Structures are given as structure tokens and as C-alpha cells.
Amino acid sequence: EVQLVESGGGLVQAGGSLRLSCAASGFTFDDYTVGWFRQAPGKERKGISCMSRRDGTTFYEDSVKGRFTISLDNAKNTVYLQMNDLKAEDTAVYYCGAHYRPVNTVVTLCHYGMGSWGKGTLVTVSS
């Protein structure tokens, strides 16, 4: 069974940093595109950073470019999202997604979503 479990969310002051983790079980990321999505209160879920395990291609949504970094630790079967210089508008529930043997590009999957999801972790940034 494919499982994704996010962790690392919490309360942080504006300007601070957090690192989110997404641990996978039941599969390895070898042939997946993975990504981080977030859903702010009253808004739709939105892809903010995605990565192709196949060729390393990455995508960042404009609002997080230069502040967030996606990475993958193959040995730990874990995807990370390093978030720096956090802002109040980054407050959201953050979800990890994964898509097996994608036929679409990283950008497309980050826009439309992925086949498997975690349950999310809440990030609250106080101003």
C-alpha cells in the first residue's frame, strides 16, 4: 500500500525556517514525480514545488522561488521541503504528493495534482 506521511509543520515567526518531511512506505520514489502542495484557508490546494525523480527536473511556484527548496533522500525514501524566510501568506496545510510513471511534465503535475497524497501538516507563520 502506498503511504505518504508528512511531518515538520508547526508555528514559526515570520522570517523563520521550517523543514517539512514526507516519508514514503510501500514503494520507492525511483519512478515517481513528487511534490509539495499547500492549501490556505478558503483557497484551493496549489502546487508549490515538484521534482522528477527520473531526471531531477524541478518546478517552483513564483511565490516560493528563492525561499523554498525541494530535495529527496533516496536512502531514507523521504522528500523534503526546506522553507526559509517564511511569510504570513505561507500559512497553510502542506501536502506531499507522488505520481507513478508520469506521462506529463513536472509543471503539469504540479499544476493539476498527483495520484497519491499524504494527509498534510499544518504550517502557521505569525507576523
Side-chain angles (χ1 to χ4, degrees):
E1 179 187 1
V2 172
Q3 262 199 322
L4 298 167
V5 179
E6 303 95 335
S7 61
L11 175 64
V12 63
Q13 287 189 329
S17 298
L18 280 176
R19 188 178 78 159
L20 305 183
S21 300
C22 172
S25 60
F27 72 104
T28 64
F29 285 121
D30 285 350
D31 208 1
Y32 279 78
T33 289
V34 298
W36 288 95
F37 298 71
R38 69 185 180 189
Q39 186 167 17
K43 296 188 177 181
E44 293 186 352
R45 185 161 55 186
K46 184 176 185 178
I48 57 169
S49 182
C50 297
M51 169 190 281
S52 167
R53 173 65 180 86
R54 187 183 300 165
D55 61 14
T57 303
T58 58
F59 165 81
Y60 293 94
E61 197 266 335
D62 285 347
S63 68
V64 306
K65 278 181 184 176
R67 300 188 298 124
F68 291 10
T69 304
I70 189 171
S71 62
L72 194 156
D73 186 326
N74 293 321
K76 295 183 178 180
N77 213 27
T78 300
V79 180
Y80 300 100
L81 184 69
Q82 178 65 43
M83 306 188 295
N84 298 328
D85 189 24
L86 283 161
K87 305 175 181 181
E89 51 264 41
D90 294 318
T91 294
V93 177
Y94 283 71
Y95 297 90
C96 173
H99 200 91
Y100 181 59
R101 290 188 176 177
V103 295
N104 292 309
T105 66
V106 171
V107 174
T108 298
L109 286 170
C110 220
H111 183 75
Y112 288 106
M114 300 198 180
S116 300
W117 297 97
K119 293 184 178 181
T121 185
L122 177 63
V123 172
T124 303
V125 183
S126 63
S127 56

